[in-house]
Amino acid sequence: MPAPTYRTIACFIFLMNVLHFQRCASMQATCDTKLSDLKHSIAKVICPGGCWMQHSDLCGSDDYARGPLCLAAMHAGLIDKEGGYFEVFKSDPLPKYEGTKSYGVTSKSCFSASFTYSFQMKCSTKGNSEFSVTDVDCPSGCRSNYVCGTNLYNSNSSVCAAAIHAGVLKENGGTITFYSHGGQSSSKGSTKNGVSTQPCDTFLKSFSFTRSNDCFRSCQNEGKCLSGINAEFCSCASGTEGKDCAIDINECTSGTHNCHQYATCINTVGSFQCSCNANYTGDGVECEANFCSANVGLCKHNGTCSDNTTAYSCSCDLWHTGERCGQEKDHVIMTTARNWTDARKYCQSIGGDLATWGMRNATVRNWIVTNLLQTQPAADYWVGLDDIEHEGVWNYIDGFPVTENNTDFNTGEPNNIGGPGLYNADCGHLNQIYTYKMDDHDCQRNQSAICERF
Ligand SMILES: [Ca+2]
Ligand SMILES: [Ca+2]
Ligand SMILES: [Ca+2]
């Protein structure tokens, strides 16, 4: 079992004295904390006393696959029943984990695991430390582990292989210090000191073996200068790239912007902006159609405007039609069946009356018959003429007398017959069986009507 290192003991003493010392910041575990609760690859933990369990799922020896964190540290001999401080490292899974009895704690054997948890740094341990400055002891033989980047490494990289690449660690291992940084737009791959690294795209967390103090390289666009053992380099702010962070990334042409499909992307140095297109409102990431409010009077004649995703639509009043309700309608069909008097009241209620001038004009009348009347279901249509006052004397309700020239009665009409047995027909209608020529009919019959604008 590895003995606690001098550094571990030193940190513990600092913590006991309640001194703030960044490298010793640590996680306070409970007896229930699992190895799988560790979020970072490198963690520093304080366990309470009394974490004694006869039965647990602790699996492995030296390298553990799962189980209670504090019990694993006891099994490894790092802490005793009184609890204590230790460092724990996450690395790649192994094919098998052997169970043993050690320091009075029994562990099981198991095969599958997501990670290996150990109390010593491994070659595959990644650099996502929760600390801004971290000291670790690297083993030997880490040259072939995965690393991404140059100078500034993706936190997904092996710390020890990156350290060899950066020239701060020899092949046979040793102690190194690394520094955590924020995200990076990209980092190039390269081969140095026998380690080949991959290029990497945007990543959220990075590390280097350099500090940002005492650095004289001028980094543009808010890039941060990092000084190393052999060189100084720039850690670029997102949206810029290049040696000195002088190159703007054009998010609009590279397709990495998040502007809405109805917005325009505007490239800026170090960033980009989204602006909703005409007839859309929003922050550019979300754009909603506002054709109606952006274009006052879009729908004419008090038509109701409504937006949909890509256009607007107008809902017109009874007397208007067309895409923008710009077209006037002279005739409106009443489809609810009513008697002649009630049909007339309905037409007046919507601002018109039963049709008169349209019936006297053959062209208008034919247009109505062709375009407005429904042949199914069979329907006759009240219009505005009658002989209610004097039987046999027909007049239009607007005062014009009915003549042979202005009214197209069917042959034999008006005959004062509204149908079999109905010998009192005083109201005019267009009769479907006469191909909508004029006829007289019983005024009490309920049927459709043609309303007309004054
Ligand atoms: Ca840009
Ligand atoms: Ca009559
Ligand atoms: Ca008749």
Side-chain angles (χ1 to χ4, degrees):
M1 292 301 124
T5 63
Y6 168 77
R7 193 172 63 248
T8 306
I9 294 163
C11 277
F12 189 48
I13 291 164
F14 274 121
L15 283 160
M16 294 298 281
N17 290 334
V18 205
L19 282 173
H20 176 73
F21 188 55
Q22 191 178 31
R23 297 178 195 213
C24 294
S26 55
M27 166 186 169
Q28 180 69 58
T30 69
C31 296
D32 293 329
T33 303
K34 303 282 185 202
L35 287 165
S36 57
D37 293 332
L38 293 165
K39 301 280 179 271
H40 294 85
S41 300
I42 300 167
K44 306 182 184 200
V45 179
I46 296 175
C47 278
C51 293
W52 189 259
M53 279 169 258
Q54 278 303 334
H55 302 287
S56 80
D57 59 348
L58 181 65
C59 162
S61 295
D62 293 345
D63 296 319
Y64 300 89
R66 63 184 68 91
L69 171 60
C70 296
L71 201 64
M74 287 173 72
H75 184 271
L78 288 172
I79 60 171
D80 59 19
K81 288 180 191 176
E82 308 291 311
Y85 172 89
F86 57 89
E87 296 175 347
V88 58
F89 303 91
K90 228 153 86 167
S91 54
D92 290 347
L94 300 173
K96 188 176 191 316
Y97 299 83
E98 296 285 351
T100 57
K101 187 169 183 185
S102 168
Y103 292 98
V105 178
T106 305
S107 66
K108 297 168 183 166
S109 296
C110 60
F111 291 92
S112 65
S114 302
F115 297 101
T116 296
Y117 300 91
S118 318
F119 301 100
Q120 284 185 310
M121 188 77 177
K122 300 280 183 128
C123 287
S124 67
T125 302
K126 293 167 180 174
N128 66 331
S129 171
E130 67 178 307
F131 311 109
S132 56
V133 187
T134 311
D135 300 325
V136 289
D137 296 321
C138 280
S140 63
C142 294
R143 185 164 284 174
S144 60
N145 285 78
Y146 172 82
V147 180
C148 161
T150 295
N151 291 329
L152 197 63
Y153 303 95
N154 186 338
S155 63
N156 207 27
S157 304
S158 155
V159 173
C160 297
I164 297 170
H165 182 264
V168 297
L169 182 71
K170 299 281 181 232
E171 175 69 22
N172 60 358
T175 301
I176 54 158
T177 299
F178 73 95
Y179 303 85
S180 294
H181 307 288
Q184 180 68 8
S185 53
S186 67
S187 190
K188 291 180 169 48
S190 62
T191 299
K192 285 201 270 181
N193 305 316
V195 175
S196 292
T197 68
Q198 304 296 313
C200 31
D201 292 333
T202 306
F203 45 91
L204 292 175
K205 229 180 138 189
S206 59
F207 67 87
S208 73
F209 300 96
T210 64
R211 293 163 293 129
S212 52
N213 305 334
D214 310 324
C215 192
F216 302 101
R217 191 182 188 101
S218 131
C219 303
Q220 299 184 37
N221 299 313
E222 296 174 12
K224 200 169 145 193
C225 180
L226 297 175
S227 86
I229 284 86
N230 300 317
E232 292 184 339
F233 61 92
C234 295
S235 167
C236 301
S238 74
T240 57
E241 60 186 2
K243 252 179 137 179
D244 302 312
C245 307
I247 302 168
D248 168 58
I249 295 168
N250 188 329
E251 294 83 357
C252 300
T253 53
S254 67
T256 52
H257 67 85
N258 63 343
C259 299
H260 193 264
Q261 62 168 319
Y262 300 121
T264 303
C265 178
I266 302 150
N267 183 46
T268 62
V269 174
S271 187
F272 64 96
Q273 288 171 356
C274 303
S275 171
C276 292
N277 294 340
N279 297 318
Y280 289 86
T281 47
D283 60 6
V285 176
E286 294 291 333
C287 295
E288 279 188 3
N290 74 338
F291 291 86
C292 294
S293 51
N295 302 276
V296 175
L298 204 51
C299 298
K300 307 286 182 195
H301 302 109
N302 297 322
T304 305
C305 186
S306 42
D307 287 306
N308 53 50
T309 311
T310 57
Y312 67 94
S313 61
C314 293
S315 171
C316 309
D317 73 10
L318 286 168
W319 297 104
H320 293 90
T321 187
E323 195 189 324
R324 295 178 57 191
C325 306
Q327 214 178 318
E328 294 196 331
K329 282 163 73 178
D330 289 327
H331 296 91
V332 169
I333 300 300
M334 180 195 83
T335 52
T336 303
R338 292 185 172 92
N339 66 40
W340 188 85
T341 306
D342 288 345
R344 192 173 176 197
K345 282 180 187 164
Y346 169 79
C347 290
Q348 288 169 340
S349 76
I350 61 168
D353 207 334
L354 285 168
T356 54
W357 59 263
M359 293 300 106
R360 295 194 292 268
N361 181 318
T363 307
V364 175
R365 189 173 64 240
N366 288 337
W367 185 89
I368 292 170
V369 168
T370 307
N371 295 288
L372 299 184
L373 303 191
Q374 306 286 320
T375 54
Q376 294 291 335
D380 302 332
Y381 292 84
W382 289 129
V383 289
L385 66 165
D386 67 276
D387 71 339
I388 293 169
E389 219 161 296
H390 299 290
E391 175 56 37
V393 180
W394 284 82
N395 283 297
Y396 281 96
I397 55 177
D398 60 358
F400 279 77
V402 174
T403 67
E404 277 185 26
N405 287 339
N406 69 17
T407 305
D408 188 23
F409 269 110
N410 196 51
T411 310
E413 302 290 349
N415 58 3
N416 205 32
I417 296 174
L422 290 173
Y423 297 106
N424 187 22
D426 295 342
C427 294
H429 74 161
L430 298 184
N431 190 329
Q432 189 188 29
I433 59 166
Y434 294 159
T435 60
Y436 297 112
K437 286 192 170 189
M438 199 65 80
D439 177 27
D440 58 349
H441 205 91
D442 175 10
C443 297
Q444 292 308 312
R445 188 188 188 207
N446 290 325
Q447 57 182 38
S448 301
I450 302 169
C451 300
E452 186 177 74
R453 180 195 294 279
F454 283 124

